[in-house]
Amino acid sequence: MDARTAYVSMICGGDAYVPGLETLGRSLLETGTRIPRVALVTRDVSPGARAKLGAQGWRLREVEPIGNPRGDVLLPRFANVFTKLRVWELDDYDKVVFLDADTIVLQNIDELFDRPSLAAAPDFLLPDRFNSGVMVVEPASAVLAKMLARLPELMSYDGGDQGFLNEFFDWYASPPEHRLPAAYNTHQFIFQFIAAHHLLRERLLGGIKIVHYTVQKPWREVAIVGGSQLWWDVYDRVHPEQLAAWRRQLHALEDWSFNRVVSVLTG
Ligand code: GLC
Ligand code: MN
């Protein structure tokens, strides 16, 4: 694999997503990949968090935040997400795979570097739009400059980077190699449903490569739908010293109760 490749993720607006990035980092390591990991951080990410991520092998890269051009942000967590566009600024890499800090990787995904830019998987709600949590990108500052110029005028249907990027790139009309299978960006609820359903489990579970914990973050809230045992299994390998029996039981229970509902519904 080319030396000028990297897996890239980001934390901005403080340390809230550090557990996500640690878990993603660990999951990538466990796939046996040799491709380096780069974490984009904004200046408000604490020295302690940087030290933790650095020790785990993330190469830290400080970037300038990009404010949300819409004042009326739908969700508070979208206030800083446009900073993600800084991925295009990584001119010293030919190709990167961007992964949201709330994703985990279940098997080696190095084959993504054979995909053209921009490649991404469909969004869960709007399948004619791509989800911007997993993207194959060929960085080019000139592209970022064009994006920044269009920020004020292009509509973002979700008030975040995803809506903007879908206006900027005509992904749906692009050739098939640009459209990744959903297995590269599987919504946690869909993953949980597949895991709980006996027929789907047999046929689909082994093919899933990336799970995306969008909306409900395992380290921030107890799951109201589905569960997060899989995520905690990886997190506990990062932080065995925090391994709390009560927490494991709680998350096992979330999975168990959801699985029961699915098994009743699907016979
Ligand atoms: C969705 C995407 C995420 C993106 C956000 C804002 O939550 O999964 O990657 O940053 O929308 O557009
Ligand atoms: Mn996400």
Side-chain angles (χ1 to χ4, degrees):
M1 196 68 58
D2 200 300
R4 288 167 53 94
T5 54
Y7 288 106
V8 179
S9 191
M10 175 184 81
I11 37 173
C12 58
D15 292 355
Y17 277 65
V18 171
L21 210 56
E22 289 182 293
T23 307
L24 168 63
R26 173 76 192 206
S27 73
L28 273 168
L29 277 175
E30 290 180 356
T31 70
T33 183
R34 303 176 65 108
I35 296 175
R37 282 165 288 132
V38 174
L40 309 182
V41 297
T42 46
R43 70 178 77 84
D44 48 12
V45 174
S46 74
R50 290 171 194 233
K52 248 194 226 174
L53 296 169
Q56 206 201 18
W58 287 97
R59 296 181 186 173
L60 301 177
R61 179 83 68 116
E62 189 160 305
V63 293
E64 260 317 286
I66 300 177
N68 195 314
R70 272 178 53 172
D72 59 330
V73 192
L74 292 176
L75 297 164
R77 69 191 168 86
F78 287 179
N80 303 302
V81 286
F82 278 79
T83 308
K84 198 193 282 189
L85 304 184
R86 294 275 176 218
V87 174
W88 272 269
E89 207 172 60
L90 299 175
D91 283 318
D92 45 333
Y93 292 95
D94 293 329
K95 196 179 280 187
V96 303
V97 171
F98 179 87
L99 299 162
D100 266 4
D102 58 356
T103 59
I104 57 170
V105 175
L106 306 188
Q107 14 183 331
N108 192 292
I109 51 166
D110 287 350
E111 71 276 9
L112 284 181
F113 290 91
D114 298 330
R115 293 281 185 156
S117 172
L118 180 283
D123 188 50
F124 327 108
L125 300 174
L126 302 164
D128 58 343
R129 311 290 178 109
F130 69 92
N131 183 278
S132 64
V134 175
M135 297 186 285
V136 181
V137 171
E138 282 171 17
S141 294
V143 175
L144 176 63
K146 278 187 202 151
M147 287 176 177
L148 294 179
R150 301 195 66 188
L151 263 191
E153 43 135 346
L154 280 191
M155 224 272 298
S156 167
Y157 63 80
D158 71 342
D161 59 283
Q162 179 168 304
F164 172 80
L165 286 167
N166 270 281
E167 298 299 324
F168 191 85
F169 293 102
D170 193 0
W171 170 84
Y172 191 59
S174 59
E177 354 26 301
H178 293 262
R179 287 181 268 122
L180 302 178
Y184 287 100
N185 190 343
T186 301
H187 191 296
Q188 57 174 329
F189 301 159
I190 298 174
F191 176 83
Q192 192 69 21
F193 189 79
I194 290 172
H197 187 290
H198 62 290
L199 284 179
L200 298 180
R201 185 166 61 233
E202 241 166 65
R203 302 180 66 169
L204 299 176
L205 198 66
I208 294 175
K209 301 198 180 216
I210 301 173
V211 183
H212 191 168
Y213 292 85
T214 190
V215 185
Q216 188 176 272
K217 313 299 171 198
W219 65 96
R220 302 189 88 175
E221 56 228 328
V222 169
I224 46 166
V225 184
S228 52
Q229 188 62 45
L230 179 78
W231 188 92
W232 284 103
D233 285 344
V234 184
Y235 180 84
D236 287 340
R237 292 200 285 278
V238 184
H239 287 295
E241 78 288 357
Q242 293 176 13
L243 216 157
W246 65 267
R247 204 190 59 215
R248 291 194 67 80
Q249 280 166 12
L250 177 70
H251 295 292
L253 190 67
E254 287 164 9
D255 283 26
W256 178 83
S257 51
F258 180 78
N259 293 2
R260 296 283 300 166
V261 173
V262 172
S263 68
V264 168
L265 290 179
T266 61

